[in-house]
Every structure is written in C-alpha cells, then in structure tokens.
C-alpha cells in the first residue's frame, strides 16, 4: 500500500506547491512522505484528528481525514479546501492499510490465544482423565465453552473480511446477516432482533452501522457473559438509531476494559458521519450501546 500512499503524497505536494506532504495514520504515525521529512507536532496532529477540523501550526496544515491525517508543510500552508480532492482517496488508502494490521491483531488477541488455551486445557484433561475423572469432566466442559467463544471470534473476523456480501442490500438485511452468523453459536437462545424500520441510508451510514453492530455484538459475546442480547433498529427519513442491549456483567465506560479499543472505534465511526454513540453501563447492570446517525 506504500506505493499508492507515496503517489498520493507526490500528487498533493505538486498540486499545492508544498514543501512536503505527509500521511499519518490514526495513531499519528507517518506512513508516507513526499519531500523533506519535516518534524511534525504529534499533539497538534492528534488534536486535529480528535476535533475533525484542520489546524495550522508553524507553517504546517494538519488536515484530518477518516482514519488519519494529511500534514502539509511549506512557506505558506495551503487552505484546507486545496486538499479536498485528496481526502476521499486518502481515506480509502488508509482504510486498506489499516485492515491487515487489525486483522493480525484480532487473530492474535482472540483466535490464537483461544486455541492456545484449548491446547493447555486438553493437556490438563488428559492428565486428569484416569487420576481424577470428575475434574477431567470439568476441564472438558471448559474446553467446549472456550472453543465456542473462539468460534464466535473467528466468525466476527470473517464478517469483517467480507462485508460486501452483507452491506449494500439494505441495512436491515446487513444486520440480519451479522446477527444470524453470531447467533448461531451455542448458548445464544436469548438473542433477539427487533427491526422496526429499514430507513433508506447512504452507503457510508449503512457500513458504519454495520461495523458498529458487529463490534457491539462481538463485545457482548466475548466479554458480557449475557443471557439476553437484543439488537434494535428504528428510524425515519432523517435519522436512524441502532441499539445493542445486553443484560451482562456491564462495565464502567470511563475505565479501561477489554473492549475499550472497539468502543473508541465505534465512537469515531459515528462522529465522522455527524452522529453520536452513547454507552450506558455499570458493573453488574448490563450495557446499552446506542448509535444515532443522520440517514444521508
């Protein structure tokens, strides 16, 4: 992906008459640069990405794009409008560059660790089988539950790899696909789907809500220990609301927890499209994730 980002930087530099153009990812790491590799202010870059607004600082224009940032240096930083033609391409290339990294992280953090745990549990069960059959039975039950959780993680990763088979046929159809795939695992009898409406939405909103639902359901399956999970969709011509509700262990939204990176990702997706994402949860009180986005 670097050659494509390099070409983007070269074209933007030439068009804007800039000293240099840098492409940064969401963590403010420079992925590509055309021209001298100037020192950038990471704090300003992060502020621009957080606010969603271009910031000028010391002859540098920090211009946020979905998934990262364009930093343009020169005697006179260009107007943000000069970079507008490059924003959609930068968004596309950054998304493509980020997906392999996320896939590798997901595989390591979920499936690889789960399989390692299963292998250890199987070894323990084999040792106990003859010496302590009762404990061996408990160990085998744990292996079964862990394997089911690993299967859920793997299904979620596969869904992220092939959203084109779900997204595009309508938001309700996309959500049914996510729900049915994740609901197929054992122990999900308490999962419910309530589609009150299928409002017409833009492809960007459709994919954002699809991704938010996938992340929320994945967190509910992996971390919540919930017996009841409900997905609701409602909307009209101007707004659409998605809710994922569970009766699980809950958490403190302001404190570190296993799904914190996913929560940040959901918030960013909603904010980029002018929407909001609210989380209501507390230890022992379940969780409600509510995303409200404009339809267009």
């Amino acid at each position: 992906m670097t050659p494509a980002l390099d070409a983007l930087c070269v074209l933007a530099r030439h068009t804007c008459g800039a000293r240099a153009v840098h492409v940064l990812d969401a963590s403010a790491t420079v992925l590509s640069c055309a021209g001298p590799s100037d020192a950038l202010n990471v704090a300003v870059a992060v502020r621009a990405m957080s606010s969603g607004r271009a910031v000028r600082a010391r002859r540098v224009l920090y211009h946020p794009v979905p998934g990262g940032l364009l930093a343009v240096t020169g005697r006179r930083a260009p107007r943000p409008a000069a970079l507008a033609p490059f924003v959609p391409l930068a968004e596309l290339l950054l998304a493509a560059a980020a997906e392999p990294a996320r896939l590798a992280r997901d595989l390591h953090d979920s499936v690889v660790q789960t399989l390692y745990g299963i292998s250890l549990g199987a070894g323990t069960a084999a040792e106990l089988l003859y010496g302590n059959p009762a404990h061996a039975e408990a160990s085998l039950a744990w292996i079964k539950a862990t394997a089911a959780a690993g299967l859920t993680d793997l299904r979620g990763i596969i869904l992220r790899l092939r959203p084109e088979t779900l997204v595009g046929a309508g938001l309700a159809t996309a959500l049914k696909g996510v729900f049915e795939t994740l609901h197929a695992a054992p122990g999900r009898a308490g999962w419910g789907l309530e589609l009150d409406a299928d409002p017409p939405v833009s492809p960007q909103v459709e994919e954002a809500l699809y991704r938010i639902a996938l992340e929320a359901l994945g967190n509910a399956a992996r971390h919540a220990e919930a017996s009841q999970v409900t997905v609701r969709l409602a909307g009209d011509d101007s707004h659409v609301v998605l809710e994922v509700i569970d009766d699980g262990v809950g958490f403190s939204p302001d404190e570190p927890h296993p799904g914190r990176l996913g929560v940040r990702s959901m918030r960013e997706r909603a904010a980029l499209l002018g929407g909001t994402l609210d989380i209501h949860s507390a230890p022992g009180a379940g969780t409600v994730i509510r995303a409200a986005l404009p339809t267009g």
Side-chain angles (χ1 to χ4, degrees), residues 195-282:
L195 302 178
D196 296 332
D198 190 7
V201 297
S202 69
Q204 293 83 2
V205 171
E206 182 176 86
E207 181 168 358
L209 289 173
Y210 167 82
R211 298 286 188 179
I212 289 170
L214 180 59
E215 189 71 47
L217 285 170
N219 284 341
R222 290 192 299 269
H223 308 304
E225 301 177 22
S227 60
Q228 301 285 332
V229 179
T230 302
V231 178
R232 293 175 180 166
L233 178 69
D236 52 32
D237 292 339
S238 60
H239 285 81
V240 58
V241 176
L242 169 73
E243 290 184 327
V244 179
I245 305 163
D246 72 64
D247 65 349
V249 296
F251 64 96
S252 297
D254 297 329
E255 296 180 2
H257 56 89
R260 64 187 182 279
L261 293 178
V263 168
R264 186 175 69 181
S265 173
M266 289 189 289
R267 289 192 191 279
E268 290 175 351
R269 289 186 187 280
L272 284 171
L273 294 171
T276 59
L277 187 126
D278 298 317
I279 299 177
H280 302 282
S281 185

Side-chain angles (χ1 to χ4, degrees), residues 25-41:
D25 64 12
S27 64
T29 299
V30 176
L31 300 180
S32 183
C33 173
S37 183
D38 294 327
L40 302 175
N41 189 319

Side-chain angles (χ1 to χ4, degrees):
M1 189 53 59
T2 300
L5 287 173
D6 291 345
L8 171 66
C9 289
V10 170
L11 182 59
R13 182 191 182 203
H14 175 75
T15 302
C16 298
R19 167 182 164 84
V21 173
H22 304 70
V23 176
L24 287 70
D25 64 12
S27 64
T29 299
V30 176
L31 300 180
S32 183
C33 173
S37 183
D38 294 327
L40 302 175
N41 189 319
V42 174
V44 176
V46 171
R47 188 169 82 241
M49 285 188 282
S50 299
S51 67
R53 296 180 179 179
V55 178
R56 281 192 178 87
R58 295 189 177 183
R59 298 181 180 178
V60 182
L61 174 66
Y62 297 86
H63 192 296
V65 300
L69 183 104
L70 293 173
V72 184
T73 66
R75 287 187 189 176
R76 185 179 295 175
R79 293 175 178 270
L83 290 175
F86 304 101
V87 170
L89 180 57
E91 177 185 2
L92 179 65
L93 295 178
L94 283 168
E99 195 58 34
R102 169 151 191 177
L103 174 61
R105 184 176 69 247
D106 285 351
L107 286 171
H108 177 270
D109 292 347
S110 59
V111 179
V112 171
Q113 296 299 327
T114 298
L115 291 176
Y116 179 65
I118 289 173
S119 69
L120 292 179
T124 301
E127 292 177 2
L128 293 173
L129 188 59
Y130 296 102
N132 195 328
H135 285 180
E137 183 177 347
S139 183
L140 290 171
W142 178 87
I143 291 172
K144 181 179 179 181
T146 304
L151 183 59
T152 293
D153 288 338
L154 188 56
R155 283 182 170 131
I157 292 171
I158 291 171
L159 282 171
R160 280 196 289 273
L161 288 174
R162 56 178 182 86
E164 70 278 358
T165 64
L166 298 175
V167 179
L171 184 55
T173 300
L175 292 178
K176 286 178 182 177
V178 173
F179 188 85
E180 289 170 1
T181 300
L182 295 179
H183 178 246
R188 303 283 164 75
W191 284 41
L193 187 64
E194 299 177 9
L195 302 178
D196 296 332
D198 190 7
V201 297
S202 69
Q204 293 83 2
V205 171
E206 182 176 86
E207 181 168 358
L209 289 173
Y210 167 82
R211 298 286 188 179
I212 289 170
L214 180 59
E215 189 71 47
L217 285 170
N219 284 341
R222 290 192 299 269
H223 308 304
E225 301 177 22
S227 60
Q228 301 285 332
V229 179
T230 302
V231 178
R232 293 175 180 166
L233 178 69
D236 52 32
D237 292 339
S238 60
H239 285 81
V240 58
V241 176
L242 169 73
E243 290 184 327
V244 179
I245 305 163
D246 72 64
D247 65 349
V249 296
F251 64 96
S252 297
D254 297 329
E255 296 180 2
H257 56 89
R260 64 187 182 279
L261 293 178
V263 168
R264 186 175 69 181
S265 173
M266 289 189 289
R267 289 192 191 279
E268 290 175 351
R269 289 186 187 280
L272 284 171
L273 294 171
T276 59
L277 187 126
D278 298 317
I279 299 177
H280 302 282
S281 185
T287 300
V288 177
I289 294 178
R290 184 180 188 273
L293 277 71
T295 55

